[in-house]
């Protein structure tokens, strides 16, 4: 078990400088989710336009893994159709369970593949993606 | 015999985790089990196993004797007046739920009050929320002092003639402090209220005398005191237990069953529907023997010493915040390190073989009171040593370094 497999530099960069952190004034789809086992929580906002995610922002509290994952997810999902967004979430789940998955659309995400070796942390990584899935499925 | 000398009696402690010798600092979540307890459970299954209270055969008698013998041990361990005051349960949670659902539902009516504290574990909080909703009673909270302690003046000021139940944890699983439950019980009784004590974190570490505390109910779990999971007990004063209705119905707990009406056995058996946790009770009995051979006072002194040592060493780390009072902590230190999330701290520590707990510790209202979302907690037991704490400190220093490098 190598810590550097988990805490890659790109993850720390997203943790320290989260992308898309904040809220929208405009009407947005808001999804609040928490991880009851540890207290991490996220509120995700999506601006949807004609079946496409125009923009995404998040606020929340949590560890480096949950917050960096939220930062990456909001970057990756912008401009995607709802179907593509769900596909991203599916591929992310597969990746953290240990499958080889590539994210050509946003390579930073691949840095989180190391989570698979830290089973206790998989829930941290998937929190934001579960919020995305919930938001899309509500539509 | 305490600390290092006890280690070899805990087979699980003799292993490497992630390439480092295991340093187990999560006993407040669950303690490890000595060979003596594991052997007692194995011997029960290999030699005595049968159902209790029904068979006329020899094994049935032996199993019944083992189970009821464990009840007697628990009664003596807590200094109850008789074994009939001990109800076996799945653990503290089930015991507290039994008090709330049976005693609470029977005595509470609209306008009555239940008084608890914001530091309670969810298991001594949600059952009271639920019974308050079901009966129309009001749930009230004692305020906490700045260091998390309870002032008896506040207890006086909060209780009223309408207060029917006061329920407080004996030792906080987050702050490590000991609440003055004996003094609170005295005030509660003056107002005519029953006193419930959540003893999950006190029973493993100190001698308990329920008669001296004069509490009406006292709940604890076996697995935090060297016993197996799935067994615990509720102590209740006989005068209260014998008037309480069971909340689970089925085999074992009945007196007479007719097509439309049934009656129950006496307490405590009426609360133990179904085949009970026989092997668990045997294991709990063995754990009590084990703790008493070492001596609860010896264990208590060891815990106080370790917690004070840990407090001193940890408070020297730059950027650490320790929660709860400095003095008289029982066996644990809860903290945060810089801005590093406790999950990240726990993951880095785990990579170095040090097992601690991170999260809200089933105390979300207390986390809000502390104004944090989560904390890290190192907790100690009779097999821990000062060297374990030194390992924790050096792993924490490495964690700081790792994160300052990683974050840049």
């Amino acid at each position: 078990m190598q810590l550097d497999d988990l805490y890659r530099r790109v993850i720390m960069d997203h943790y320290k400088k989260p992308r898309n952190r904040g809220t929208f004034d405009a009407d947005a789809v808001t999804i609040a989710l928490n991880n009851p086992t540890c207290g991490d929580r996220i509120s995700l906002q999506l601006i949807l336009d004609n079946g496409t995610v125009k923009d995404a922002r998040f606020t929340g509290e949590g560890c480096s893994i949950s917050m960096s994952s939220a930062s990456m997810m909001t970057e990756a999902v912008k401009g995607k159709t709802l179907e593509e967004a769900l596909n991203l979430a599916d591929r992310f789940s597969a990746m953290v369970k240990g499958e080889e998955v590539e994210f050509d659309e946003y390579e930073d995400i691949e840095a989180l593949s190391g989570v698979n070796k830290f089973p206790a942390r998989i829930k941290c990584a998937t929190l934001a993606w579960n919020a995305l899935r919930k938001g899309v499925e509500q539509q | 015999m305490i600390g290092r000398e006890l280690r070899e009696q805990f087979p699980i402690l003799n292993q490497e985790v992630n390439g480092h010798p295991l340093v187990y600092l999560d006993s407040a979540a669950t303690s490890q089990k000595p060979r003596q307890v594991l052997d007692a459970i194995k011997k029960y299954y290999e030699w005595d196993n049968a159902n209790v209270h029904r068979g006329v055969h020899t094994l049935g008698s032996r199993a019944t004797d083992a189970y009821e013998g464990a009840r007697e041990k628990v009664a003596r361990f807590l200094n109850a007046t008789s074994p009939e005051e001990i109800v076996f349960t799945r653990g503290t949670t089930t015991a507290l739920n039994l008090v709330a659902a049976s005693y609470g539902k029977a005595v509470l009516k609209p306008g009555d009050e239940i008084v608890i504290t914001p530091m309670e574990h969810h298991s001594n909080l949600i059952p009271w929320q639920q019974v308050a909703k079901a009966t129309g009673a009001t749930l009230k909270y004692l305020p906490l002092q700045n260091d998390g302690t309870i002032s008896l003046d506040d207890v006086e000021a909060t209780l009223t003639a309408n207060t029917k139940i006061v329920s407080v944890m004996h030792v906080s699983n987050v702050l490590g402090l000991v609440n003055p439950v004996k003094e609170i019980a005295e005030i509660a009784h003056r107002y005519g209220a029953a006193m419930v004590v959540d003893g999950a974190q006190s029973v493993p570490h100190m001698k308990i005398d329920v008669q001296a505390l004069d509490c009406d109910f006292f709940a604890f779990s076996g697995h935090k005191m060297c016993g197996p999971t799935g067994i615990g007990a509720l102590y209740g004063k006989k005068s209260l237990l014998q008037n309480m209705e069971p909340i689970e119905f089925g085999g074992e707990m009945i007196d007479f069953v007719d097509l439309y009406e049934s009656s129950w056995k006496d307490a405590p058996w009426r609360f133990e529907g179904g085949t009970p946790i026989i092997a668990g009770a045997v294991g709990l009995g063995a754990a009590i023997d084990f703790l008493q051979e070492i001596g609860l006072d010896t264990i208590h002194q060891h815990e106080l010493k370790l917690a004070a040592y840990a407090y001193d060493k940890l408070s020297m780390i730059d950027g650490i915040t320790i929660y709860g009072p400095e003095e008289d902590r029982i066996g644990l230190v809860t903290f945060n390190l810089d801005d590093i999330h406790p999950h990240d701290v726990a993951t880095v520590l785990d990579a170095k073989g040090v097992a601690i707990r991170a999260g809200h510790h089933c105390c979300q209202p207390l986390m809000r009171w502390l104004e944090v979302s989560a904390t890290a907690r190192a907790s100690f037991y009779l097999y821990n040593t000062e060297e374990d704490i030194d390992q924790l400190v050096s792993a924490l220093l490495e964690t700081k370094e790792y994160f300052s490098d990683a974050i840049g």
Side-chain angles (χ1 to χ4, degrees):
Chain A
M1 181 165 116
Q2 287 298 317
L3 281 176
D4 293 342
D5 289 345
L6 181 63
Y7 296 113
R8 298 199 186 148
R9 192 153 287 275
V10 55
I11 294 177
M12 288 309 177
D13 182 65
H14 276 270
Y15 179 48
K16 196 180 155 198
K17 293 177 288 192
R19 326 294 197 259
N20 312 307
R21 198 175 174 103
T23 50
F24 293 114
D25 299 329
D27 286 342
V29 177
T30 304
I31 311 100
L33 258 196
N34 63 359
N35 180 349
T37 56
C38 64
D40 281 9
R41 52 176 196 81
I42 184 174
S43 174
L44 172 68
Q45 287 198 309
L46 301 172
I47 304 270
L48 301 177
D49 181 26
N50 214 2
T52 302
V53 180
K54 249 179 79 186
D55 210 347
R57 284 184 190 169
F58 78 101
T59 54
E61 266 181 86
C63 62
S64 59
I65 303 303
S66 69
M67 292 296 109
S68 63
S69 186
S71 168
M72 292 177 194
M73 183 276 287
T74 48
E75 277 292 270
V77 80
K78 280 188 213 173
K80 298 284 182 291
T81 64
L82 295 182
E83 201 180 326
E84 288 166 340
L86 271 187
N87 175 268
L88 269 175
D90 287 343
R91 280 154 61 215
F92 186 83
S93 298
M95 181 184 78
V96 294
K97 282 178 193 146
E99 286 177 39
E100 284 278 335
V101 183
E102 286 182 359
F103 285 87
D104 293 334
E105 53 276 80
Y106 194 66
E107 288 178 354
D108 285 11
I109 296 173
E110 291 170 20
L112 282 166
S113 63
V115 170
N116 131 63
K117 296 198 191 85
F118 295 78
R121 304 302 297 278
I122 291 176
K123 275 187 185 162
C124 311
T126 52
L127 180 65
W129 297 87
N130 289 342
L132 172 66
R133 193 187 299 275
K134 201 172 157 191
V136 171
E137 282 169 358
Q138 277 170 8
Q139 300 309 306
Chain B
M1 195 159 78
I2 195 92
R4 180 154 306 282
E5 304 152 302
L6 276 181
R7 285 278 251 261
E8 62 186 49
Q9 299 188 38
F10 290 83
I12 201 170
L13 296 177
N14 183 27
Q15 66 174 297
E16 291 204 340
V17 167
N18 300 318
H20 300 269
L22 168 65
V23 177
Y24 186 76
L25 299 177
D26 197 19
S27 294
T30 197
S31 71
Q32 297 303 349
K33 325 300 175 197
R35 202 170 269 119
Q36 207 169 309
V37 168
L38 304 174
D39 288 350
I41 296 168
K42 186 160 178 273
K43 180 177 163 275
Y44 167 77
Y45 276 126
E46 288 182 350
W47 188 244
D48 297 326
N49 181 52
N51 215 325
V52 294
H53 299 145
R54 35 181 101 141
V56 283
H57 55 73
T58 302
L59 294 193
S61 304
R62 273 199 231 144
T64 303
D65 289 349
Y67 183 65
E68 293 303 325
R71 195 190 307 276
E72 285 167 25
K73 276 184 195 175
V74 173
R76 281 196 300 272
F77 183 61
L78 299 179
N79 195 32
T81 51
S82 92
E84 289 167 23
E85 295 185 315
I86 304 300
V87 182
F88 280 125
T89 67
R90 191 162 55 79
T92 310
T93 300
T94 323
L96 292 167
N97 272 279
L98 171 59
V99 181
S102 175
Y103 181 79
K105 269 206 183 118
V107 302
L108 294 165
K109 51 185 194 310
D112 286 344
E113 298 162 353
I114 307 159
V115 174
I116 63 173
T117 81
M119 82 173 87
E120 299 310 314
H121 188 281
H122 296 161
S123 60
N124 194 28
L125 195 150
I126 309 170
W128 302 117
Q129 285 179 347
Q130 293 300 110
V131 75
K133 281 182 194 160
T135 60
T138 307
L139 185 59
K140 282 169 76 176
Y141 285 87
L142 292 171
L144 302 181
Q145 305 293 299
N146 287 337
D147 62 356
T149 54
I150 296 168
S151 115
L152 295 176
D153 289 342
D154 286 334
V155 180
E156 291 276 5
T158 306
L159 269 56
T160 72
N162 294 325
T163 307
K164 294 290 184 297
I165 295 170
V166 179
S167 190
V168 175
M169 69 195 330
H170 198 177
V171 169
S172 164
N173 63 320
V174 173
L175 303 171
L177 55 82
V178 186
N179 284 316
V181 290
K182 180 180 157 71
E183 291 76 8
I184 298 173
E186 210 178 297
I187 300 171
H189 290 152
R190 208 168 350 105
Y191 284 90
M195 179 72 191
V196 185
V197 177
D198 166 2
Q201 296 292 346
S202 64
V203 166
H205 306 293
M206 58 170 83
K207 207 164 171 16
I208 301 295
D209 182 339
V210 288
Q211 293 187 65
L213 293 176
D214 196 25
C215 52
D216 298 287
F217 297 99
F218 188 100
F220 74 97
S221 299
H223 71 95
K224 293 187 202 288
M225 49 172 282
C226 296
T229 53
I231 184 81
L234 173 70
Y235 157 83
K237 281 184 182 163
K238 199 173 172 183
S239 55
L240 297 173
L241 283 183
Q242 68 189 11
N243 291 315
M244 278 163 53
E245 284 292 307
I247 58 170
E248 282 190 337
F249 306 90
E252 301 270 8
M253 50 78 66
I254 53 92
D255 175 34
F256 186 79
V257 179
D258 203 349
L259 283 178
Y260 299 102
E261 290 295 331
S262 300
S263 56
W264 326 132
K265 275 184 183 165
D266 288 336
W269 300 281
R270 69 166 62 164
F271 303 109
E272 297 175 3
T275 296
I277 317 145
I278 311 165
V282 169
L284 176 59
I288 289 173
D289 290 342
F290 177 78
L291 295 181
Q292 287 182 329
E293 281 158 27
I294 295 162
L296 268 299
D297 290 334
T298 308
I299 295 168
H300 188 201
Q301 289 311 314
H302 181 70
E303 310 288 334
L304 286 172
K305 212 177 85 187
L306 280 185
Y309 183 80
Y311 190 95
D312 286 352
K313 291 281 169 180
L314 262 66
S315 53
M316 280 187 247
I317 299 175
D318 192 31
I320 204 159
T321 309
I322 300 179
Y323 303 98
E326 184 177 347
E327 304 291 322
D328 300 328
R329 310 175 145 257
I330 302 286
L332 63 87
V333 178
T334 299
F335 59 93
N336 266 314
L337 184 61
D338 293 326
D339 292 335
I340 312 171
H341 193 280
H343 286 153
D344 293 321
V345 174
T347 293
V348 180
L349 260 53
D350 183 52
K352 299 177 189 308
V354 180
I356 63 157
R357 173 87 186 260
H360 53 60
H361 316 288
C362 298
C363 287
Q364 290 186 9
L366 181 60
M367 292 295 115
R368 254 163 253 136
W369 184 83
L370 292 168
E371 296 179 340
V372 293
S373 61
T375 61
R377 179 187 71 191
S379 56
F380 322 114
Y381 206 17
L382 67 183
Y383 37 67
N384 288 118
T385 62
E386 291 186 352
E387 290 80 69
D388 290 341
I389 293 162
D390 294 339
Q391 290 293 320
L392 166 69
V393 171
S394 89
L396 284 172
L397 291 172
E398 287 176 59
T399 306
K400 266 175 75 86
E401 200 171 324
Y402 184 81
F403 270 87
S404 67
D405 282 356
I407 293 179

